[in-house]
Amino acid sequence: MGLNRIGILTGGGDCTGLNAVIRSITRAAIIQHHASVVGFEGGFEGLIFDRDQDLTVKSTKDILTMGGTILGTSNKGNPFEFREFGADGKVDIHDYSEKAIRHFKRMMLDCLFVIGGDGTLQIANQFYERGVPVIGIPKTIDNDLEQTDYTFGFQSAVQVASDAMDRLHTTGRSHSRVMILEVMGRTAGWIALEAGIAGGAHIILIPEIPYKVESLLEKIKYRIAGGSPFSIIMVAEGAKELGGEEIKMESGENRLQGVDQLGGVGFYLAEQIKKEIDLEVRTTVLGHIQRGGTPNAFDRVLGTRLGSYAVRAAAEGKFGNMVALRTPNLELVPLKDLAGKVRQVPDSSQLIQCAETIGISFGR
Ligand code: F6P
Protein backbone atom coordinates (compact mmCIF):
# COMPACT_ATOMS: atom_id res chain seq x y z
CA MET A 1 0.00 0.00 0.00
CA GLY A 2 1.34 3.46 -0.82
CA LEU A 3 1.10 6.47 1.41
CA ASN A 4 -0.30 9.64 -0.15
CA ARG A 5 -0.94 11.82 2.81
CA ILE A 6 -0.16 11.30 6.49
CA GLY A 7 -0.61 13.19 9.76
CA ILE A 8 1.64 13.43 12.81
CA LEU A 9 0.95 14.64 16.34
CA THR A 10 2.89 14.75 19.60
CA GLY A 11 0.92 14.32 22.84
CA GLY A 12 1.58 14.40 26.59
CA GLY A 13 4.61 15.90 28.32
CA ASP A 14 7.45 16.73 25.97
CA CYS A 15 10.92 15.21 26.03
CA THR A 16 14.02 15.32 23.91
CA GLY A 17 13.96 13.39 20.64
CA LEU A 18 10.41 14.33 19.57
CA ASN A 19 11.73 16.40 16.70
CA ALA A 20 14.05 13.58 15.65
CA VAL A 21 10.97 11.38 15.24
CA ILE A 22 8.97 14.08 13.41
CA ARG A 23 11.88 14.59 11.02
CA SER A 24 12.34 10.88 10.45
CA ILE A 25 8.65 10.21 9.71
CA THR A 26 8.49 13.23 7.40
CA ARG A 27 11.61 12.33 5.46
CA ALA A 28 10.74 8.61 5.16
CA ALA A 29 7.19 9.40 3.99
CA ILE A 30 8.40 11.92 1.41
CA ILE A 31 11.55 10.15 0.20
CA GLN A 32 10.08 6.63 0.06
CA HIS A 33 6.43 7.40 -0.83
CA HIS A 34 6.31 10.97 -2.20
CA ALA A 35 3.61 11.52 0.41
CA SER A 36 2.50 14.88 1.75
CA VAL A 37 2.81 15.32 5.51
CA VAL A 38 0.70 17.34 7.93
CA GLY A 39 1.60 18.06 11.55
CA PHE A 40 -1.22 18.71 14.04
CA GLU A 41 -0.42 21.44 16.53
CA GLY A 42 -0.76 21.07 20.28
CA GLY A 43 -1.40 17.32 20.35
CA PHE A 44 -4.97 16.09 19.81
CA GLU A 45 -6.24 19.67 20.11
CA GLY A 46 -4.86 20.34 16.64
CA LEU A 47 -6.92 17.44 15.30
CA ILE A 48 -10.08 18.63 17.05
CA PHE A 49 -9.81 22.32 16.26
CA ASP A 50 -8.23 22.21 12.75
CA ARG A 51 -4.80 23.51 13.68
CA ASP A 52 -2.11 22.04 11.49
CA GLN A 53 0.93 22.81 9.36
CA ASP A 54 2.54 21.20 6.34
CA LEU A 55 5.77 19.38 7.06
CA THR A 56 8.42 19.04 4.38
CA VAL A 57 12.03 17.94 4.13
CA LYS A 58 12.91 21.62 4.21
CA SER A 59 10.76 22.55 7.21
CA THR A 60 12.16 19.67 9.23
CA LYS A 61 15.74 20.52 8.32
CA ASP A 62 17.99 21.08 11.38
CA ILE A 63 15.44 19.85 13.93
CA LEU A 64 17.20 16.54 14.68
CA THR A 65 19.13 18.07 17.56
CA MET A 66 16.44 20.45 18.74
CA GLY A 67 14.68 19.76 22.04
CA GLY A 68 10.90 19.98 22.52
CA THR A 69 8.50 19.53 19.61
CA ILE A 70 8.01 21.92 16.70
CA LEU A 71 4.33 20.88 16.71
CA GLY A 72 3.67 21.74 20.33
CA THR A 73 2.06 19.27 22.72
CA SER A 74 -0.44 19.07 25.53
CA ASN A 75 -1.20 16.63 28.31
CA LYS A 76 -4.69 18.05 28.60
CA GLY A 77 -6.57 17.67 25.32
CA ASN A 78 -8.03 14.16 25.49
CA PRO A 79 -10.71 14.34 22.73
CA PHE A 80 -12.83 11.71 24.48
CA GLU A 81 -12.94 13.72 27.74
CA PHE A 82 -12.05 17.25 26.80
CA ARG A 83 -12.15 19.53 29.84
CA GLU A 84 -13.26 23.13 29.41
CA PHE A 85 -13.25 25.61 32.26
CA GLY A 86 -15.99 28.19 32.69
CA ALA A 87 -15.43 31.66 34.21
CA ASP A 88 -16.90 30.31 37.48
CA GLY A 89 -14.12 27.69 37.56
CA LYS A 90 -16.58 24.89 36.76
CA VAL A 91 -15.35 22.10 34.50
CA ASP A 92 -17.37 20.90 31.51
CA ILE A 93 -16.33 17.61 29.96
CA HIS A 94 -16.99 17.18 26.22
CA ASP A 95 -16.51 14.23 23.90
CA TYR A 96 -14.92 15.70 20.77
CA SER A 97 -13.77 12.37 19.35
CA GLU A 98 -16.30 12.35 16.46
CA LYS A 99 -15.31 15.90 15.53
CA ALA A 100 -11.65 14.81 15.44
CA ILE A 101 -12.46 11.74 13.32
CA ARG A 102 -14.49 13.86 10.87
CA HIS A 103 -11.54 16.22 10.56
CA PHE A 104 -9.16 13.31 9.96
CA LYS A 105 -11.41 11.90 7.21
CA ARG A 106 -11.91 15.29 5.58
CA MET A 107 -8.15 15.64 5.29
CA MET A 108 -7.98 12.26 3.50
CA LEU A 109 -5.07 11.01 5.56
CA ASP A 110 -3.80 7.45 5.17
CA CYS A 111 -2.33 7.25 8.66
CA LEU A 112 -2.10 9.21 11.91
CA PHE A 113 1.27 8.85 13.63
CA VAL A 114 0.79 9.45 17.34
CA ILE A 115 3.95 10.10 19.33
CA GLY A 116 3.30 9.85 23.05
CA GLY A 117 3.37 8.08 26.39
CA ASP A 118 0.81 5.73 27.95
CA GLY A 119 -2.06 8.25 28.11
CA THR A 120 -1.58 9.47 24.55
CA LEU A 121 -1.18 5.97 23.14
CA GLN A 122 -4.30 4.83 24.96
CA ILE A 123 -6.20 7.61 23.18
CA ALA A 124 -4.55 6.54 19.91
CA ASN A 125 -5.91 3.05 20.46
CA GLN A 126 -9.42 4.40 21.10
CA PHE A 127 -9.24 6.16 17.72
CA TYR A 128 -7.96 2.97 16.09
CA GLU A 129 -10.91 1.05 17.52
CA ARG A 130 -13.17 3.64 15.86
CA GLY A 131 -11.61 3.02 12.47
CA VAL A 132 -8.75 5.54 12.33
CA PRO A 133 -5.53 4.04 10.90
CA VAL A 134 -3.02 4.76 13.66
CA ILE A 135 0.62 3.93 14.43
CA GLY A 136 2.03 4.76 17.88
CA ILE A 137 5.57 5.81 18.76
CA PRO A 138 6.66 5.48 22.42
CA LYS A 139 8.06 8.57 24.13
CA THR A 140 8.56 9.58 27.74
CA ILE A 141 11.43 10.43 30.01
CA ASP A 142 9.84 8.10 32.57
CA ASN A 143 10.60 4.93 30.52
CA ASP A 144 7.44 3.46 32.02
CA LEU A 145 5.84 2.05 28.88
CA GLU A 146 5.19 -1.67 28.60
CA GLN A 147 6.41 -3.67 25.61
CA THR A 148 9.46 -1.61 24.70
CA ASP A 149 12.97 -1.82 26.16
CA TYR A 150 13.33 1.96 26.14
CA THR A 151 11.27 4.98 25.26
CA PHE A 152 13.13 7.81 23.56
CA GLY A 153 13.79 10.81 25.82
CA PHE A 154 14.71 8.61 28.76
CA GLN A 155 18.45 8.33 28.18
CA SER A 156 18.83 12.09 27.74
CA ALA A 157 16.96 12.67 31.01
CA VAL A 158 19.24 10.16 32.74
CA GLN A 159 22.26 12.05 31.42
CA VAL A 160 20.95 15.36 32.80
CA ALA A 161 20.23 13.80 36.19
CA SER A 162 23.60 12.08 36.34
CA ASP A 163 25.40 15.35 35.46
CA ALA A 164 23.48 17.01 38.31
CA MET A 165 24.65 14.27 40.66
CA ASP A 166 28.28 14.92 39.70
CA ARG A 167 27.84 18.56 40.65
CA LEU A 168 26.12 17.73 43.93
CA HIS A 169 29.00 15.41 44.78
CA THR A 170 31.63 18.13 44.66
CA THR A 171 29.69 20.69 46.69
CA GLY A 172 28.31 18.07 49.11
CA ARG A 173 31.80 16.78 49.83
CA SER A 174 33.22 20.30 50.34
CA HIS A 175 30.56 21.23 52.89
CA SER A 176 30.05 17.83 54.51
CA ARG A 177 26.36 17.90 53.75
CA VAL A 178 23.65 15.48 52.86
CA MET A 179 22.60 16.39 49.31
CA ILE A 180 19.25 15.20 47.99
CA LEU A 181 18.36 15.22 44.29
CA GLU A 182 14.67 14.76 43.43
CA VAL A 183 14.05 13.57 39.88
CA MET A 184 10.93 12.91 37.80
CA GLY A 185 9.52 9.58 36.72
CA ARG A 186 5.97 9.55 38.11
CA THR A 187 5.30 6.12 39.62
CA ALA A 188 8.39 4.50 38.08
CA GLY A 189 11.93 4.69 39.40
CA TRP A 190 13.87 4.23 36.15
CA ILE A 191 15.43 7.70 35.98
CA ALA A 192 16.40 7.65 39.67
CA LEU A 193 17.84 4.17 39.39
CA GLU A 194 19.96 4.63 36.26
CA ALA A 195 21.07 8.18 37.04
CA GLY A 196 21.69 7.20 40.67
CA ILE A 197 24.05 4.44 39.61
CA ALA A 198 25.69 6.64 36.96
CA GLY A 199 26.09 9.48 39.45
CA GLY A 200 27.51 7.39 42.29
CA ALA A 201 24.58 7.90 44.69
CA HIS A 202 24.94 6.44 48.17
CA ILE A 203 21.20 6.05 48.56
CA ILE A 204 18.56 5.63 45.82
CA LEU A 205 14.88 5.83 46.66
CA ILE A 206 12.35 4.64 44.09
CA PRO A 207 8.56 4.23 44.19
CA GLU A 208 8.83 0.47 43.80
CA ILE A 209 10.74 0.06 47.11
CA PRO A 210 9.09 2.00 49.97
CA TYR A 211 11.86 3.27 52.22
CA LYS A 212 12.43 3.14 55.99
CA VAL A 213 13.90 6.32 57.46
CA GLU A 214 15.96 4.28 59.95
CA SER A 215 17.71 2.51 57.07
CA LEU A 216 18.70 5.81 55.46
CA LEU A 217 19.96 7.19 58.74
CA GLU A 218 21.95 4.03 59.32
CA LYS A 219 23.64 4.39 55.91
CA ILE A 220 24.46 8.09 56.47
CA LYS A 221 25.86 7.37 59.96
CA TYR A 222 27.88 4.46 58.61
CA ARG A 223 29.45 6.80 56.08
CA ILE A 224 30.20 9.40 58.77
CA ALA A 225 31.82 6.72 60.93
CA GLY A 226 33.91 5.63 57.94
CA GLY A 227 35.30 9.14 57.46
CA SER A 228 32.87 10.37 54.76
CA PRO A 229 30.68 12.98 56.45
CA PHE A 230 28.60 13.61 53.33
CA SER A 231 26.01 11.58 51.47
CA ILE A 232 24.30 11.90 48.13
CA ILE A 233 20.69 10.74 47.90
CA MET A 234 18.80 10.24 44.64
CA VAL A 235 15.06 10.25 45.17
CA ALA A 236 12.35 9.67 42.58
CA GLU A 237 9.38 12.04 42.86
CA GLY A 238 7.08 9.05 43.37
CA ALA A 239 9.11 7.49 46.22
CA LYS A 240 7.25 6.90 49.46
CA GLU A 241 7.99 5.90 53.00
CA LEU A 242 7.02 2.39 54.07
CA GLY A 243 3.34 2.61 55.03
CA GLY A 244 3.15 6.16 53.64
CA GLU A 245 1.81 7.84 50.53
CA GLU A 246 3.36 9.56 47.52
CA ILE A 247 3.79 13.29 48.06
CA LYS A 248 1.62 15.39 45.75
CA MET A 249 1.74 19.08 45.04
CA GLU A 250 -1.32 20.70 46.59
CA SER A 251 -1.26 23.50 44.05
CA GLY A 252 -0.56 21.19 41.11
CA GLU A 253 -2.32 22.71 38.07
CA ASN A 254 -2.68 19.24 36.58
CA ARG A 255 -5.17 18.38 39.32
CA LEU A 256 -7.71 20.50 37.44
CA GLN A 257 -7.26 18.02 34.62
CA GLY A 258 -7.83 15.12 36.97
CA VAL A 259 -4.13 14.25 37.09
CA ASP A 260 -2.08 14.31 40.29
CA GLN A 261 1.17 16.25 40.16
CA LEU A 262 3.93 14.61 42.17
CA GLY A 263 6.68 16.57 43.90
CA GLY A 264 8.09 17.49 47.28
CA VAL A 265 9.45 14.20 48.56
CA GLY A 266 13.00 15.64 48.51
CA PHE A 267 12.06 18.35 51.02
CA TYR A 268 10.03 15.93 53.12
CA LEU A 269 13.01 13.60 53.30
CA ALA A 270 15.35 16.46 54.26
CA GLU A 271 13.18 17.25 57.30
CA GLN A 272 13.19 13.61 58.36
CA ILE A 273 16.99 13.42 58.14
CA LYS A 274 17.68 16.79 59.78
CA LYS A 275 15.81 15.73 62.91
CA GLU A 276 18.17 12.82 63.47
CA ILE A 277 21.57 13.73 62.02
CA ASP A 278 23.91 16.55 62.82
CA LEU A 279 24.72 17.44 59.22
CA GLU A 280 23.24 20.12 57.01
CA VAL A 281 20.83 18.79 54.43
CA ARG A 282 20.05 20.43 51.09
CA THR A 283 17.48 19.48 48.46
CA THR A 284 17.59 20.12 44.71
CA VAL A 285 14.53 19.46 42.57
CA LEU A 286 15.65 18.91 39.00
CA GLY A 287 12.18 19.25 37.45
CA HIS A 288 11.65 20.05 33.80
CA ILE A 289 15.36 20.48 33.10
CA GLN A 290 15.20 16.70 32.57
CA ARG A 291 12.79 17.19 29.69
CA GLY A 292 14.40 20.13 27.92
CA GLY A 293 17.43 20.61 25.71
CA THR A 294 19.20 18.55 23.11
CA PRO A 295 18.65 14.80 22.80
CA ASN A 296 21.75 12.69 23.33
CA ALA A 297 23.05 10.45 20.55
CA PHE A 298 21.11 7.41 21.80
CA ASP A 299 17.78 9.24 21.66
CA ARG A 300 18.54 10.75 18.25
CA VAL A 301 19.27 7.31 16.84
CA LEU A 302 16.30 5.66 18.57
CA GLY A 303 13.94 8.47 17.50
CA THR A 304 15.13 8.23 13.89
CA ARG A 305 14.79 4.44 13.87
CA LEU A 306 11.29 4.51 15.38
CA GLY A 307 10.10 7.15 12.92
CA SER A 308 11.31 5.38 9.79
CA TYR A 309 10.07 1.98 11.01
CA ALA A 310 6.66 3.49 11.77
CA VAL A 311 6.39 4.71 8.17
CA ARG A 312 7.30 1.27 6.87
CA ALA A 313 4.62 -0.29 9.13
CA ALA A 314 2.02 2.20 7.86
CA ALA A 315 2.90 1.47 4.24
CA GLU A 316 2.30 -2.22 4.99
CA GLY A 317 -1.09 -1.36 6.52
CA LYS A 318 -0.11 -2.57 9.98
CA PHE A 319 -2.25 -0.10 11.91
CA GLY A 320 -3.20 -0.27 15.58
CA ASN A 321 0.39 -0.99 16.57
CA MET A 322 3.18 0.74 18.43
CA VAL A 323 6.76 0.49 17.20
CA ALA A 324 8.83 -0.94 20.03
CA LEU A 325 12.49 -1.48 20.76
CA ARG A 326 13.25 -5.13 21.43
CA THR A 327 17.00 -4.84 21.45
CA PRO A 328 18.62 -4.98 18.95
CA ASN A 329 15.55 -4.87 16.68
CA LEU A 330 12.39 -2.85 16.34
CA GLU A 331 9.08 -4.70 16.41
CA LEU A 332 5.37 -3.94 16.30
CA VAL A 333 3.18 -4.50 19.34
CA PRO A 334 -0.59 -4.00 19.47
CA LEU A 335 -1.55 -0.69 21.08
CA LYS A 336 -4.26 -2.50 23.03
CA ASP A 337 -1.56 -4.43 24.91
CA LEU A 338 -0.40 -1.19 26.54
CA ALA A 339 -3.77 -0.04 27.79
CA GLY A 340 -3.64 1.27 31.33
CA LYS A 341 -0.33 -0.41 32.14
CA VAL A 342 2.70 1.28 33.66
CA ARG A 343 6.05 -0.50 33.61
CA GLN A 344 7.70 -0.12 36.99
CA VAL A 345 11.14 -1.37 38.03
CA PRO A 346 10.68 -5.03 39.00
CA ASP A 347 12.15 -6.05 42.35
CA SER A 348 14.07 -8.76 40.50
CA SER A 349 15.80 -6.09 38.35
CA GLN A 350 19.49 -6.74 37.78
CA LEU A 351 20.02 -2.99 38.07
CA ILE A 352 18.78 -3.06 41.66
CA GLN A 353 20.84 -6.18 42.35
CA CYS A 354 23.92 -4.52 40.89
CA ALA A 355 23.43 -1.36 42.96
CA GLU A 356 22.88 -3.27 46.20
CA THR A 357 25.89 -5.47 45.52
CA ILE A 358 28.13 -2.42 45.51
CA GLY A 359 26.61 -1.03 48.70
CA ILE A 360 24.00 1.45 47.44
CA SER A 361 21.10 1.59 49.89
CA PHE A 362 17.46 1.56 48.77
CA GLY A 363 16.30 2.31 52.30
CA ARG A 364 14.87 -1.18 52.76
O1 F6P B 1 5.57 11.96 32.37
C1 F6P B 1 6.59 12.88 32.23
C2 F6P B 1 6.67 13.79 33.43
O2 F6P B 1 7.77 14.65 33.25
C3 F6P B 1 6.73 13.08 34.76
O3 F6P B 1 8.02 12.58 35.06
C4 F6P B 1 6.27 14.18 35.69
O4 F6P B 1 5.70 13.65 36.86
C5 F6P B 1 5.24 14.90 34.86
O5 F6P B 1 5.51 14.60 33.51
C6 F6P B 1 5.23 16.39 35.04
O6 F6P B 1 4.16 16.91 34.33
P1 F6P B 1 4.01 18.47 34.03
O7 F6P B 1 4.95 18.83 32.91
O8 F6P B 1 2.60 18.60 33.63
O9 F6P B 1 4.38 19.22 35.27
Side-chain angles (χ1 to χ4, degrees):
M1 163 186 173
L3 294 175
N4 291 317
R5 193 161 154 77
I6 62 160
I8 307 175
L9 67 80
T10 50
D14 74 343
C15 68
T16 68
L18 284 164
N19 286 326
V21 180
I22 294 170
R23 169 181 174 268
S24 175
I25 294 174
T26 304
R27 290 182 68 92
I30 293 172
I31 294 168
Q32 299 303 325
H33 302 279
H34 309 290
S36 57
V37 184
V38 170
F40 292 102
E41 295 170 356
F44 286 106
E45 285 183 33
L47 188 58
I48 302 171
F49 301 116
D50 297 14
R51 289 200 306 263
D52 53 66
Q53 55 179 271
D54 289 337
L55 295 173
T56 62
V57 168
K58 196 169 178 199
S59 74
T60 55
K61 200 163 136 289
D62 298 333
I63 66 168
L64 171 65
T65 59
M66 201 190 279
T69 158
I70 57 165
L71 296 176
T73 186
S74 166
N75 45 13
K76 303 189 170 71
N78 179 352
F80 292 88
E81 286 177 37
F82 197 89
R83 289 168 182 246
E84 279 172 332
F85 297 91
D88 54 0
K90 268 210 183 144
V91 188
D92 269 336
I93 302 183
H94 299 278
D95 183 349
Y96 283 138
S97 56
E98 280 308 319
K99 184 172 155 70
I101 293 174
R102 274 199 306 277
H103 185 207
F104 178 84
K105 287 189 177 152
R106 226 175 24 247
M107 293 184 79
M108 309 227 291
L109 299 173
D110 297 322
C111 179
L112 179 64
F113 292 87
V114 178
I115 312 171
D118 60 339
T120 304
L121 294 180
Q122 220 167 309
I123 298 169
N125 189 46
Q126 284 176 276
F127 276 118
Y128 173 66
E129 285 172 350
R130 281 164 182 73
V132 178
V134 165
I135 301 278
I137 295 114
K139 74 88 236 209
T140 167
I141 63 165
D142 304 338
N143 200 36
D144 62 353
L145 275 185
E146 282 286 350
Q147 307 286 344
T148 185
D149 292 349
Y150 286 111
T151 53
F152 72 85
F154 169 67
Q155 288 295 348
S156 303
V158 166
Q159 189 62 57
V160 171
S162 124
D163 291 348
M165 290 291 276
D166 293 350
R167 290 168 193 275
L168 291 178
H169 257 282
T170 60
T171 173
R173 183 184 285 114
S174 307
H175 286 266
S176 298
R177 283 173 169 164
V178 175
M179 305 301 281
I180 300 172
L181 180 66
E182 180 183 312
V183 295
M184 284 184 165
R186 286 198 308 176
T187 54
W190 295 106
I191 300 177
L193 182 55
E194 287 214 7
I197 293 173
H202 306 115
I203 297 168
I204 300 177
L205 304 179
I206 58 175
E208 294 84 348
I209 306 178
Y211 67 86
K212 288 193 209 137
V213 182
E214 312 84 72
S215 305
L216 309 183
L217 299 173
E218 210 174 281
K219 173 77 181 175
I220 297 168
K221 286 178 186 161
Y222 177 80
R223 288 183 46 77
I224 297 171
S228 297
F230 77 101
S231 286
I232 310 292
I233 304 180
M234 169 64 95
V235 60
E237 62 181 0
K240 49 185 179 285
E241 200 176 344
L242 191 64
E245 291 288 320
E246 290 157 344
I247 299 188
K248 293 167 187 160
M249 286 161 79
E250 284 303 317
S251 61
E253 289 167 61
N254 289 358
R255 300 186 83 174
L256 296 172
Q257 301 293 337
V259 181
D260 284 327
Q261 208 165 335
L262 297 175
V265 65
F267 292 106
Y268 176 74
L269 198 59
E271 291 309 314
Q272 288 178 306
I273 296 170
K274 270 184 213 165
K275 274 193 252 159
E276 304 293 336
I277 294 215
D278 193 21
L279 287 181
E280 287 182 324
V281 186
R282 295 288 189 270
T283 299
T284 302
V285 180
L286 205 50
H288 292 82
I289 289 171
Q290 293 157 95
R291 298 220 312 236
T294 305
N296 69 3
F298 181 92
D299 284 331
R300 291 179 205 182
V301 175
L302 180 58
T304 304
R305 288 181 70 192
L306 291 170
S308 73
Y309 197 77
V311 170
R312 178 187 292 218
E316 290 171 2
K318 294 181 175 157
F319 304 115
N321 287 303
M322 176 185 88
V323 289
L325 177 65
R326 300 276 177 84
T327 310
N329 296 319
L330 296 185
E331 290 177 12
L332 295 177
V333 295
L335 279 168
K336 66 173 165 37
D337 288 359
L338 303 169
K341 293 182 192 154
V342 171
R343 188 174 64 123
Q344 289 192 298
V345 182
D347 200 34
S348 59
S349 158
Q350 286 193 350
L351 275 174
I352 295 178
Q353 248 174 46
C354 150
E356 287 187 320
T357 307
I358 64 162
I360 297 175
S361 165
F362 284 82
R364 289 188 203 264

